[in-house]
Amino acid sequence: MRKPADSLSQTPLQPGEQPARKKRRASGSLECKLGLLLGLAGLAGSRLGQLWIAFDVFSQFTLQFAVVTAAFLIGWAMPRAKLLTAFVVLVIGIVGIGVWPHVASRVPTVTGQAAAGERALKVVSFNTLWTNENAEAVRAEIERIDADIVNLVEMGPAKRPILAELKGRYPYQSHCYDVDFCNFVILSKLPFEEIGARGKWDGPPFISVRLGPEAGGLAVFGVHTIRFPHSQAQFRQVMEIARLIEKTPGPRLVMGDFNATPFSRILSTLQDSANLQRLTNLPSWPSQAGLPQIAIDHIFVSPGLKLLEAEEIGEPSGSDHYPVTVKIAVPLKP
């Protein structure tokens, strides 16, 4: 009787010989592939906002999707410990995004000097959070930054008493508490020639002032747009405010919480339609863990204004946002 072929191929073990171990397949390969696909899908989704505005929400997380893609690609390439490697790279990347604005703000980055016929102005935009009741911390941070022009967003009732305390430093103040859905304050060391505000209209709530000849007649806008999931409404708001800003004569400074990142169609539309240059890129939200991930607080200027010191973030002072600060040069009228 013939023996099976497989039994013939098996060689008896010699005394002291160990059986051959089967080669172990590297684990985590499938998971890394899925993670890589997720990251790539997120990056692709962030670009689809150019076609359908509802997808623009994915642009908020472009940096995070890039980190996910890199982490799982590196993990997949490793011969072993694929998932562990991907997890470590992922954590390092997310922490790195949050640390970046703090490192960038340690020492001011000087990009230019005010020339003859220009005035240097330090400006700050700060969403103080409507429910934030730590008014003293907000006041202290405003005084520490010591900007020439301050745009405050979501100035809830608990923080309004600090305006009187800041009157000595900022004698010129404008608010829009009497306008529906408008909770801005603009503080200035320089006098206003015009003030205005709108709350309930096709565009976002905003406050505006025009400074005098001491600041070259600079028009200042404080803006706060609606956020996801109202992407269509947010896009319409941005189109309306862009038209208004573009028609405003003279030099213009636009600051606020736009609930959109530098990668978004929302911001690119505002820049292009209103003929503005964005000066901000650093993540400013959320502040709770001390590692902000998303850049949604921005400062824009019109042509003719130049950047003197790059953006910095301050201290949140009880808010979920960090204040963002830049120094600009404004041409003075002859």
Side-chain angles (χ1 to χ4, degrees):
M1 188 176 189
R2 292 185 65 184
K3 293 183 178 181
D6 58 348
S7 64
L8 291 173
S9 63
Q10 293 178 357
T11 304
L13 292 177
Q14 300 299 321
E17 184 179 359
Q18 297 294 327
R21 293 183 179 180
K22 291 184 178 180
K23 188 175 180 180
R24 188 176 179 182
R25 186 179 178 182
S27 62
S29 180
L30 176 60
E31 292 84 350
C32 284
K33 290 178 182 178
L34 291 175
L36 177 59
L37 288 175
L38 176 64
L40 291 173
L43 289 173
S46 69
R47 298 302 88 208
L48 287 176
Q50 302 299 320
L51 299 175
W52 300 285
I53 193 61
F55 282 92
D56 205 43
V57 63
F58 291 105
S59 69
Q60 309 284 54
F61 308 101
T62 299
L63 290 179
Q64 288 74 23
F65 285 130
V67 169
V68 169
T69 301
F72 284 103
L73 180 60
I74 293 171
W76 184 27
M78 297 297 290
R80 59 179 63 87
K82 294 178 180 290
L83 279 180
L84 177 61
T85 301
F87 177 76
V88 170
V89 174
L90 182 62
V91 170
I92 291 173
I94 296 300
V95 171
I97 292 172
V99 170
W100 165 38
H102 295 290
V103 173
S105 303
R106 284 182 177 176
V107 180
T109 302
V110 178
T111 60
Q113 298 292 331
E118 294 180 332
R119 177 157 191 161
L121 293 175
K122 187 177 184 179
V123 302
V124 60
S125 184
F126 187 14
N127 185 329
T128 64
L129 183 62
W130 180 262
T131 57
N132 178 16
E133 297 185 355
N134 197 346
E136 283 306 303
V138 172
R139 179 192 58 77
E141 180 63 2
I142 293 170
E143 291 180 340
R144 186 195 67 80
I145 294 173
D146 194 30
D148 298 293
I149 304 169
V150 181
N151 174 50
L152 300 174
V153 185
E154 293 193 24
M155 277 290 285
K159 297 182 289 293
R160 294 175 185 176
I162 69 173
L163 298 181
E165 300 172 17
L166 291 167
K167 194 73 174 177
R169 188 182 297 253
Y170 295 101
Y172 306 99
Q173 303 183 357
S174 179
H175 64 76
C176 56
Y177 298 149
D178 55 340
V179 178
D180 290 342
F181 308 109
C182 199
N183 46 58
F184 300 94
V185 174
I186 290 182
L187 307 176
S188 175
K189 296 179 179 179
L190 303 171
F192 303 146
E193 286 193 342
E194 301 173 10
I195 59 174
R198 296 181 75 174
K200 200 172 182 180
W201 70 300
D202 292 338
F206 75 89
I207 189 171
S208 64
V209 302
R210 185 177 292 279
L211 303 180
E214 302 87 351
L218 179 68
V220 181
F221 290 84
V223 181
H224 192 189
T225 71
I226 199 170
R227 62 185 177 185
F228 179 82
H230 309 287
S231 301
Q232 293 282 357
Q234 184 183 19
F235 188 68
R236 289 194 296 269
Q237 283 187 344
V238 166
M239 290 295 295
E240 289 298 325
I241 194 71
R243 292 189 189 100
L244 187 149
I245 293 170
E246 199 274 333
K247 293 177 182 177
T248 301
R252 290 152 288 153
L253 168 67
V254 182
M255 305 186 282
D257 177 0
F258 293 87
N259 283 305
T261 71
F263 306 99
S264 69
R265 182 180 174 188
I266 295 291
L267 285 196
S268 62
T269 296
L270 177 63
Q271 290 175 237
D272 296 342
S273 300
N275 191 23
L276 297 173
Q277 176 188 0
R278 178 175 43 80
L279 304 180
T280 44
N281 291 290
L282 296 179
S284 58
W285 180 91
S287 68
Q288 283 81 353
L291 297 171
Q293 295 292 306
I294 303 176
I296 58 176
D297 298 280
H298 297 287
I299 300 175
F300 301 83
V301 293
S302 61
L305 278 65
K306 70 181 185 184
L307 181 67
L308 299 182
E309 287 186 11
E311 123 188 67
E312 303 171 23
I313 63 168
E315 296 297 329
S317 308
S319 174
D320 57 342
H321 291 248
Y322 287 85
V324 293
T325 306
V326 300
K327 183 178 283 188
I328 59 174
V330 181
L332 300 178
K333 293 181 178 179

